[in-house]
Amino acid sequence: MNEPTLDLNTTKGLNQRSRTLKTQAIILRSFDDGEADRTVIILTPEVGKLKARVRGARKINSRLGGHTDLLNLTNLNVGLGNHLNVVTAADSLNSFVNLKSNLERLAIAIYLAELMNALIPEGVPHRSIFWLLLNALEELNKNKDPLIISRYLELKALEETGYKQELYRCVLCNTNIQPNQHSYVPSFGGVVCSECTVNPSELCTLSLNSLKVLRHFDRNRLSDALSIHLDNHIEYEIEKILEQSIIWILEKQSKARKFVTHLQNLRKNTAGLIS
Ligand SMILES: [Zn+2]
């Protein structure tokens, strides 16, 4: 795997001589490896996404196993190698017990972790994505509205990974969008005015109220976004728009169709649990 890329402002946690990274991390993905090991994909503020082996994690008396469970926020020491990174110490800071005790919230948290895993490349610092996901896990853990958390995170994650959606001006003619004269084109990354011609198969319906919700998300923090209530119609519209936008971006990034389908299924499962 590639060495992590470090920018000069974020090397504080890295001991260059011993090549040990000391960092907070969210466990994005976890899978069994060999007889008793576990491989984790972690998200860190310093180096972004990183893959590491947790030796003996599945042994009953493992000191590391419980601290490196899926979705945990954990203090980690990671020995960085040319071919293999190894977790040498782990101390869980938050295992989000409340959200993990609820199937619906757990499914959403897993989907959001997988989405971040899909959108960001390995070894590139994404400090804002780390805090976005951590904030979402904390709000899910507090039983806050999972639909708003999901849609908010999707919109913000697109922005933070270079795919900010245009919500104010027509993506084709650049005029200000007038109320009730707009649609959405996921493959263009934003709203289009009613004067511009677009292949109908590319268009998604976008009501004025749904546009207002997206703009509210765009301008506010998650805690403020959670102050509103989404009715079914708005939820349906923005769910479709963001789903199509994410699929389009992942396919543009040449993500394997199988993986895109996997992510789509995770997302659909969360919708099924809520409805
Ligand atoms: Zn236009």
Side-chain angles (χ1 to χ4, degrees):
M1 58 176 281
N2 295 331
E3 282 287 305
T5 305
L6 296 170
D7 77 38
L8 292 174
N9 296 321
T10 58
T11 53
K12 203 168 73 178
L14 185 65
N15 181 333
Q16 293 286 0
R17 192 174 289 177
S18 63
R19 304 276 299 151
T20 296
L21 175 71
K22 295 187 176 188
T23 184
Q24 282 190 14
I26 299 168
I27 312 294
L28 289 184
R29 187 185 257 200
S30 169
F31 46 94
D32 293 349
D33 201 343
E35 286 286 307
D37 295 350
R38 175 189 287 165
T39 289
V40 288
I41 296 176
I42 61 175
L43 181 63
T44 74
E46 291 87 358
V47 296
K49 194 171 82 174
L50 198 68
K51 191 186 284 185
R53 178 87 53 87
V54 190
R55 292 206 165 109
R58 285 151 53 219
K59 289 181 179 169
I60 292 170
N61 59 354
S62 169
R63 287 183 184 174
L64 302 176
H67 294 283
T68 54
D69 283 340
L70 185 63
L71 302 173
N72 280 18
L73 173 69
T74 304
N75 267 334
L76 290 181
N77 288 4
V78 184
L80 301 176
N82 288 332
H83 304 292
L84 182 69
N85 304 316
V86 177
V87 172
T88 54
D91 184 16
S92 183
L93 299 169
N94 194 341
S95 53
F96 303 105
V97 174
N98 188 36
L99 89 78
K100 288 180 184 175
S101 69
N102 178 292
L103 195 58
E104 172 197 318
R105 287 168 192 282
L106 176 60
I108 287 172
I110 290 172
Y111 161 68
L112 293 176
E114 281 289 320
L115 178 65
M116 301 306 140
N117 184 26
L119 284 174
I120 64 174
E122 203 162 312
V124 178
H126 265 292
R127 193 170 282 270
S128 54
I129 289 279
F130 174 86
W131 293 112
L132 262 180
L133 181 60
L134 179 57
N135 200 205
L137 294 175
E138 288 170 344
E139 297 294 353
L140 282 170
N141 205 44
K142 288 189 271 184
N143 295 333
K144 294 292 173 62
D145 188 332
L147 291 177
I148 290 182
I149 294 169
S150 302
R151 300 296 87 84
Y152 179 90
L153 216 70
E154 288 175 340
L155 185 69
K156 291 291 186 178
L158 293 182
E159 176 181 346
E160 296 297 341
T161 52
Y163 297 98
K164 182 173 173 56
Q165 302 293 291
E166 175 56 58
L167 302 172
Y168 304 92
R169 289 174 170 272
C170 173
V171 290
L172 291 176
C173 69
N174 203 34
T175 55
N176 278 322
I177 291 293
Q178 300 302 313
N180 292 314
Q181 295 177 34
H182 40 74
S183 302
Y184 206 92
V185 185
S187 59
F188 294 167
V191 284
V192 286
C193 74
S194 51
E195 298 296 314
C196 285
T197 307
V198 179
N199 184 338
S201 67
E202 303 249 357
L203 284 175
C204 288
T205 306
L206 177 69
S207 65
L208 181 58
N209 283 338
S210 295
L211 179 58
K212 285 179 178 174
V213 167
L214 287 173
R215 287 177 174 178
H216 181 67
F217 287 179
D218 180 53
R219 289 171 169 151
N220 290 286
R221 296 178 304 177
L222 178 56
S223 55
D224 299 319
L226 283 161
S227 65
I228 62 170
H229 169 74
L230 295 187
D231 69 30
N232 288 345
H233 180 69
I234 295 174
E235 161 54 22
Y236 178 80
E237 279 190 355
I238 65 172
E239 195 264 330
K240 285 287 161 217
I241 284 168
L242 289 169
E243 180 187 37
Q244 292 305 310
S245 301
I246 289 165
I247 290 171
W248 185 83
I249 288 162
L250 292 179
E251 290 184 342
K252 188 163 170 261
Q253 290 178 342
S254 303
K255 289 280 191 300
R257 182 67 222 175
K258 194 175 160 191
F259 180 75
V260 176
T261 305
H262 165 67
L263 197 64
Q264 233 178 327
N265 286 338
L266 281 177
R267 196 174 187 275
K268 281 191 178 126
N269 287 342
T270 65
L273 284 164
I274 292 162
S275 57

